[in-house]
């Protein structure tokens, strides 16, 4: 039997990281953990190292690295601890690594994910912000290195499963009319509009169907998550924004659909548990057990659909506009959103002000071409400065 595949999990202490390790642990003959990274939850990272015995662990800085290294030695482990972005890039591109789970949240994941792409690794992409920020450059790098890019986002993994294998020839060429991107509508789908100004971070993070990290939970509540996913779908499947339609489907059982020109519509269904897309991407093109319970259609009984309301969810409109503008607009949208979501979680702004910040940032800064990574980070930095200026004028 061939050796187990060596897997690096970037963002191991997060929701996706932990689900990934759960799937990996079910298949020790197929997968071995090569490296794990954490950022603030370092005692959890230590426990994960004890459980999965990686070759490397990565933490944000040298002091934390020394502490973890001592703790690992005391636990009798030979795991080596690296620090910072450099450490992340090293474990993402190490020649021994077969696949990298990119599950750091936000722009912080871009460089390590690109390091894995440039090294030609199999990429399991959860970190949608990385692709949203740098779409053209990211996809160019994938083509150049021949890296296999597999979507972890449940919707994109569903679309991937419903697409013909040769979809890279272009949607028109393979008979695809539209991508139908499903959205639960989040916790505020039916909240009276006037109450949205008074919702708390806890309410925003209480997603009806999925258990996720705090940033993506707020994005789901504002539907910016669906906006980022629209941009993500355009890059992954070479679609125009007009070819991606958002469909509210509150049960989160259909994870997305592909509409073909002959009238066939293919969908992927399953319980809302990220271990399904993770197992799908890890084993692709094979299938493995994920630990997810079988779908009980009789218990679900009905599936509902409705059109999204962009007055309730202005972030969706802003993301569609950024998708259409292209160039630096998605990176600015993403960066302004990251600042706004952090401010909302810190109770510095009210929920509807997330959209106000993003709208202002996008209106103040002209869209420019982004020909290299430096230009992406410049756009990101400009948006962060403008968003902070908004906060110092209006925030608490
Ligand atoms: P979490 O907040 O649960 O986890 C984020 C991970 O990133 C943690 O390991 C965290 O470390 C680490 N991290 C945070 N900031 C930094 C930084 N500046 N540098 C390095 N590492 C950092 O998020 P999720 O797991 O929910 O989401 C991860 C990604 O996957 C996001 O891009 C999200 O959009 C995407 N995704 C998530 C889904 C889900 O169901 N959760 C579904 C689809 C996509 P620590 O915890 O130690 O601080
Ligand atoms: Mg998703």
């Amino acid at each position: 039997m061939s050796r187990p595949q060596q897997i690096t999990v970037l963002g191991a202490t997060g929701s996706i990281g932990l689900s990934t390790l759960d799937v990996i642990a079910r298949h020790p003959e197929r997968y071995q953990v090569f490296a794990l990274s954490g950022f603030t939850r370092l005692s959890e990272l230590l426990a994960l190292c004890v459980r999965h015995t990686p070759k490397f662990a990565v933490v944000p800085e040298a002091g934390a690295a020394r502490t973890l290294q001592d703790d690992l030695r005391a636990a009798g482990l030979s795991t080596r601890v690296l620090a910072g972005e450099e450490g992340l890039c090293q474990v993402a591109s190490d020649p021994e690594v077969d696949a990298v789970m990119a599950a750091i949240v936000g722009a912080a994941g871009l460089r390590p994910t690109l390091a894995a792409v440039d090294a030609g690794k199999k990429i399991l992409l959860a970190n949608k912000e990385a692709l949203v920020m740098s779409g053209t450059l990211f996809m160019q790098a994938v083509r150049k290195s021949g890296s296999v890019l597999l979507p972890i986002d449940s919707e994109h993994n569903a679309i991937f499963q419903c697409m013909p294998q040769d979809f890279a020839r272009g949607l028109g060429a393979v008979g695809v009319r539209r991508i139908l991107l499903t959205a639960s509508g989040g916790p505020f789908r039916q909240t009276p509009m006037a109450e949205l100004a008074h919702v708390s971070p806890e309410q925003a993070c209480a997603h009806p169907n999925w258990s996720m990290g705090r940033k993506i939970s707020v994005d789901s509540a504002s539907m910016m998550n669906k906006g980022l996913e629209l941009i993500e779908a355009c890059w992954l499947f070479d679609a125009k924004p007009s070819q991606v339609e958002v469909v509210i489907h509150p049960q989160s059982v259909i994870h997305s659909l592909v509409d073909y020109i002959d009238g066939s519509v293919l969908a992927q269904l399953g319980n809302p548990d990220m271990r399904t897309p993770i197992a799908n991407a890890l084993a692709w093109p094979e299938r493995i057990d994920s630990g997810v319970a079988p779908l009980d259609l009789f218990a679900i009984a009905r599936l509902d659909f409705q059109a999204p309301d962009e007055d309730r969810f202005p972030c969706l409109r802003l993301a569609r506009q950024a998708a259409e503008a292209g160039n630096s607009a998605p990176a600015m949208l993403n960066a302004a959103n990251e600042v706004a979501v952090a401010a909302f979680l810190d109770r510095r702004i009210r929920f509807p002000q997330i959209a106000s910040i993003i709208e202002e940032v996008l209106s103040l800064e002209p869209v420019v071409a982004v020909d290299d990574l430096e230009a992406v980070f410049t756009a990101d930095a400009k948006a962060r400065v403008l968003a902070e200026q908004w906060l110092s004028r209006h925030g608490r």
Side-chain angles (χ1 to χ4, degrees):
M1 197 171 156
S2 56
R3 73 175 179 98
Q5 290 177 43
Q6 301 296 310
I7 316 288
T8 283
V9 184
L10 302 176
T13 46
S15 164
I16 292 287
L18 294 175
S19 292
T20 304
L21 291 170
D22 180 280
V23 176
I24 286 178
R26 289 167 194 274
H27 304 279
E29 70 301 341
R30 289 183 80 116
Y31 308 113
Q32 231 166 39
V33 176
F34 179 82
L36 297 175
S37 87
F39 196 66
T40 56
R41 289 176 271 196
L42 298 186
S43 51
E44 282 88 338
L45 182 61
L46 172 64
L48 292 175
C49 289
V50 171
R51 169 112 206 268
H52 299 279
T53 61
K55 266 200 172 166
F56 292 96
V58 189
V59 297
E61 44 80 36
R66 276 192 297 276
T67 309
L68 182 63
Q69 190 70 75
D70 291 346
D71 292 345
L72 287 165
R73 261 195 221 108
L77 294 187
S78 57
T79 302
R80 270 190 56 202
V81 185
L82 306 174
E85 195 168 68
E86 208 178 306
L88 293 171
C89 292
Q90 185 179 325
V91 298
S93 59
D94 190 290
E96 270 192 62
V97 171
D98 298 294
V100 175
M101 166 56 78
I104 289 174
V105 59
L110 177 56
R111 279 191 216 274
T113 305
L114 279 180
V117 171
D118 290 339
K121 304 302 182 195
K122 176 169 156 178
I123 310 292
L124 316 177
L125 185 73
N127 180 203
K128 66 193 86 181
E129 297 92 344
L131 182 58
V132 165
M133 289 171 73
S134 69
T136 309
L137 299 168
F138 193 112
M139 296 309 290
Q140 272 170 3
V142 167
R143 280 189 289 274
K144 189 167 166 215
S145 70
S147 149
V148 174
L149 179 58
L150 297 166
I152 294 297
D153 220 337
S154 55
E155 296 78 2
H156 304 74
N157 184 267
I159 296 161
F160 182 76
Q161 293 193 51
C162 297
M163 280 282 180
Q165 292 248 346
D166 59 345
F167 70 82
R169 292 200 292 126
L171 294 190
V174 297
V176 170
R177 182 162 39 202
R178 281 179 313 169
I179 290 170
L180 299 171
L181 187 67
T182 55
S184 68
F188 305 141
R189 184 172 58 90
Q190 292 172 312
T191 307
M193 292 277 273
E195 283 176 28
L196 290 179
H198 306 289
V199 298
S200 68
E202 290 69 30
Q203 286 171 298
C205 289
H207 196 279
N209 307 335
W210 298 95
S211 149
M212 308 181 286
R214 282 162 70 77
K215 192 264 177 180
I216 184 178
S217 294
V218 176
D219 285 348
S220 298
S222 70
M223 283 197 79
M224 178 53 92
N225 183 50
K226 213 47 55 183
L228 297 175
E229 290 187 358
L230 182 148
I231 301 172
E232 183 185 14
C234 289
W235 290 118
L236 287 172
F237 305 110
D238 200 10
K240 296 189 199 71
S242 59
Q243 289 175 298
V244 184
E245 189 171 329
V246 174
V247 179
I248 305 270
H249 163 47
Q251 291 91 354
S252 299
V253 168
I254 297 182
H255 298 304
S256 278
L257 315 90
V258 176
D259 176 11
Y260 286 85
I261 48 172
D262 64 2
S264 301
V265 179
L266 303 192
Q268 186 259 2
L269 286 73
N271 287 319
D273 186 322
M274 288 307 292
R275 290 176 302 173
T276 294
I278 291 168
N280 177 265
L282 264 174
W284 184 85
E286 295 171 19
R287 299 260 177 188
I288 55 170
D289 172 38
S290 64
V292 176
L295 187 64
D296 182 348
L297 284 174
F298 300 119
I300 292 160
R302 59 181 277 183
L303 299 174
D304 296 305
F305 305 97
Q306 66 189 74
D309 174 355
E310 290 191 357
D311 291 331
R312 175 181 291 272
F313 297 115
C315 285
L316 191 55
R317 170 178 50 83
L318 294 170
R320 192 176 279 283
Q321 286 165 355
E324 272 152 13
N327 298 297
S328 60
M332 305 254 317
L333 172 93
N334 176 66
N337 181 55
E338 285 190 25
V339 174
V341 170
F344 172 68
L345 286 170
D346 283 347
R347 296 173 205 278
R348 292 179 65 199
I349 59 167
R350 294 174 188 273
F351 183 74
Q353 292 177 313
I354 294 174
S356 314
I357 293 180
I358 300 164
E359 180 143 38
E360 176 166 304
V361 168
L362 291 177
S363 72
L364 287 177
E365 193 59 33
V367 175
V368 296
V370 281
D371 299 325
D372 53 27
L373 209 51
E374 207 172 310
V376 172
F377 281 110
T378 303
D380 174 280
K382 275 191 183 154
R384 283 174 203 270
V385 169
L386 291 171
E388 291 293 349
Q389 285 171 355
W390 190 102
L391 284 173
S392 52
R393 281 200 314 277
H394 306 282
R396 275 176 266 181

